[in-house]
């Protein structure tokens, strides 16, 4: 397998060679075209989200509590556009009205251009600035956004033309509020990992930070996006028993994924192994009998699903295992191959 960036570099080099070579056949050029389409699709799958925001009049945008810099935030008829990571936890929009009509419109698109989030009454708004208001952990008692029929934004023309017809113009419930703060947090899944002995955990190719990953009897817990595509666990055994256990719960605390034989494992870290565009040929995970993980119900893992399995590669002699689970395959392009016969 190859990761997306390496694949793009290889593809660009190979196309240049083919163009200047008199030996390149039509079949080879067709193969390169197919591979190019595959890499394009991979980049779409793993691309960033796009946030579009209109505010009457002056906008300040926050992502996971951090103020963002963007063009188009200084006037009611300008559209601000930002690229966001797939794992965004919360969006905050501060809008200051300089007089006259007021309102906020926003939408969030995935990397294929599909709109999956718009301003509506699932957003919360307030006229008072609160600490950490634009973070996913904020627990303030803000009211649902109110709707406002902005005389211009209700028409599909101007910088906002083409925005989703489902978006609403939101504000607080009071037209006298000159500055409002509106926020949207996104549901998160909880990922729990046990590894005997030392774990590194990856979500869509990005290594996650957590305590509890340096000993066999400690659990690592992560809050991850519900849009995550691939979970990867590297586990290094320093001697004795070995094994990996994983569980994922949805925002309602229901178990939606466990370590079992739907995972695949290897003793080698191939390029891009924890990403969605990895062209996988790994073996199905094998089950291990770790000892305490199997027989004890009093450790850090005591509340994990009873049907989770202890997984590893097919060999107990492997001191490091790399195991991965694909959570979403529906939008992945499966294999761009060429028959050279």
């Amino acid at each position: 397998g190859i990761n997306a960036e390496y694949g793009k570099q290889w593809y660009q080099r190979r196309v240049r060679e083919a163009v200047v070579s008199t030996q390149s056949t039509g079949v080879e050029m067709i193969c390169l075209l197919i591979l190019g389409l595959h890499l394009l699709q991979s980049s779409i799958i793993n691309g960033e989200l796009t946030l579009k925001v209109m505010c009457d009049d002056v906008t300040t945008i926050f992502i996971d509590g951090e103020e963002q810099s963007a063009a188009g935030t200084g006037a009611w008829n300008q559209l601000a556009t930002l690229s966001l990571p797939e794992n965004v936890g919360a969006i905050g929009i501060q809008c200051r009205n300089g007089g006259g009509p007021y309102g906020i419109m926003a939408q969030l698109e995935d990397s294929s251009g599909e709109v999956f989030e718009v301003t509506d009454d699932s957003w919360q708004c307030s006229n008072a600035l609160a600490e950490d208001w634009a973070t996913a952990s904020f627990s303030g008692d803000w009211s649902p956004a109110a709707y406002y029929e902005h005389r211009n934004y209700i028409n599909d023309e101007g910088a906002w033309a083409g925005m989703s017809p489902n978006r609403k113009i939101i504000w607080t419930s009071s037209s006298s509020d000159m500055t409002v703060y509106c926020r949207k947090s996104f549901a998160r899944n909880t990922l729990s990992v046990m590894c005997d002995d030392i774990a590194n955990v990856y979500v869509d190719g990005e290594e996650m930070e957590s305590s509890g990953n340096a000993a066999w009897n400690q659990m690592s817990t992560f809050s991850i996006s519900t849009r995550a595509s691939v979970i990867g666990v590297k586990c290094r055994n320093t001697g004795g028993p070995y094994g990996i256990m994983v569980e994922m719960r949805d925002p309602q605390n229901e178990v939606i994924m466990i370590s079992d034989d739907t995972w695949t494992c290897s003793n080698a870290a191939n390029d891009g192994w924890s990403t969605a565009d990895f062209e996988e040929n790994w073996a199905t995970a094998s089950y291990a009998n770790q000892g305490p993980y199997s027989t004890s119900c009093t450790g850090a893992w005591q509340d994990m699903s009873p049907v989770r399995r202890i997984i590893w590669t097919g060999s107990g002699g492997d001191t490091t295992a790399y195991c991965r689970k694909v959570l979403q395959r529906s939008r992945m392009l499966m294999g761009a191959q060429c028959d050279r016969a």
Side-chain angles (χ1 to χ4, degrees):
I2 55 176
N3 65 29
E5 186 58 35
Y6 176 87
K8 292 170 192 173
Q9 293 172 3
W10 179 91
Y11 175 73
Q12 291 166 353
R13 183 173 67 252
R14 190 66 190 88
V15 167
R16 288 195 297 268
E17 292 171 353
V19 168
V20 300
S21 173
T22 58
Q23 304 299 317
S24 297
T25 66
V27 172
E28 286 180 309
M29 295 303 293
I30 291 172
C31 288
L32 287 171
L33 175 60
I34 294 173
L35 179 58
L37 292 172
H38 174 59
L39 291 171
L40 174 62
Q41 178 71 2
S42 294
S43 69
I44 289 173
I45 292 167
N46 294 291
E48 296 178 319
L49 307 178
T50 300
L51 175 66
K52 296 180 179 179
V53 179
M54 298 291 306
C55 153
D56 192 345
D57 288 287
V58 180
T59 318
T60 309
I61 301 171
F62 299 83
I63 303 300
D64 293 327
E66 297 294 325
E67 183 175 343
Q68 306 296 303
S69 177
T73 58
W76 71 271
N77 57 355
Q78 296 178 357
L79 176 70
T81 302
L82 285 173
S83 293
L84 311 183
E86 282 271 1
N87 63 349
V88 60
I91 295 171
I93 301 173
Q94 173 187 323
C95 184
R96 180 168 56 85
N97 178 30
Y102 52 86
I104 297 169
M105 294 190 301
Q107 68 183 39
L108 195 58
E109 303 172 1
D110 66 17
S111 47
S112 70
E114 180 180 351
V115 176
F116 68 92
E117 179 65 43
V118 296
T119 40
D120 58 18
D121 59 6
S122 68
W123 288 61
Q124 297 173 306
C125 295
S126 174
N127 62 0
L129 181 64
E131 186 176 0
D132 296 329
W133 69 279
T135 67
S137 60
F138 179 68
S139 57
D141 187 23
W142 284 16
S143 299
Y147 296 160
Y148 171 62
E149 293 296 313
H150 189 291
R151 66 191 182 202
N152 294 309
Y153 287 172
I154 60 174
N155 300 313
D156 191 27
E157 57 186 33
W160 57 93
M163 290 185 73
S164 169
N166 297 321
R167 95 277 184 182
K168 300 294 186 180
I169 306 161
I170 63 172
W171 202 252
T172 63
S173 59
S174 174
S175 60
S176 63
D177 288 336
M178 300 304 291
T179 300
V180 303
Y181 307 87
C182 293
R183 65 182 306 275
K184 173 72 178 185
S185 59
F186 298 93
R188 311 282 284 179
N189 290 332
T190 301
L191 178 69
S192 302
V193 178
M194 299 290 305
C195 154
D196 190 347
D197 290 285
I198 300 173
N200 299 87
V201 179
Y202 302 83
V203 176
D204 294 332
E206 297 293 328
E207 185 170 359
M208 309 294 288
E209 294 185 4
S210 172
S211 59
N213 62 345
W216 71 270
N217 59 353
Q218 297 178 0
M219 176 179 286
S220 298
T221 303
F222 309 89
S223 176
I224 69 170
S225 169
T226 57
R227 298 172 56 80
S229 297
V230 179
I231 305 298
V233 179
K234 172 187 175 183
C235 183
R236 180 165 62 88
N237 178 31
T238 58
Y242 52 87
I244 297 168
M245 293 191 299
V246 183
E247 172 192 271
M248 188 161 69
R249 293 177 181 260
D250 66 14
Q252 289 74 47
N253 203 36
E254 296 292 329
V255 176
I256 56 174
M257 185 272 288
I258 58 171
S259 47
D260 58 16
D261 59 6
T262 63
W263 287 62
T264 56
C265 295
S266 174
N267 61 4
N270 304 110
D271 287 340
W273 70 276
S274 61
T275 64
D277 62 330
F278 178 59
E279 296 182 4
E280 183 177 343
N281 58 359
W282 285 9
T284 299
S286 295
Y287 294 155
N289 184 8
Q290 189 266 0
Y293 287 176
S294 303
T295 60
S296 175
C297 296
T298 59
W301 58 92
Q302 63 184 355
D303 294 324
M304 294 183 76
S305 168
V307 297
R308 93 281 181 184
R309 303 302 295 265
I310 306 163
I311 62 172
W312 201 251
T313 65
S315 173
D318 289 334
T319 57
T320 302
Y322 303 85
C323 295
R324 69 191 302 267
K325 169 71 175 181
V326 177
L327 303 175
Q328 300 173 8
R329 277 195 184 272
S330 60
R331 290 177 51 219
M332 294 179 64
L333 181 67
M334 301 305 296
Q337 300 181 0
C338 175
D339 185 357
R340 292 182 175 272

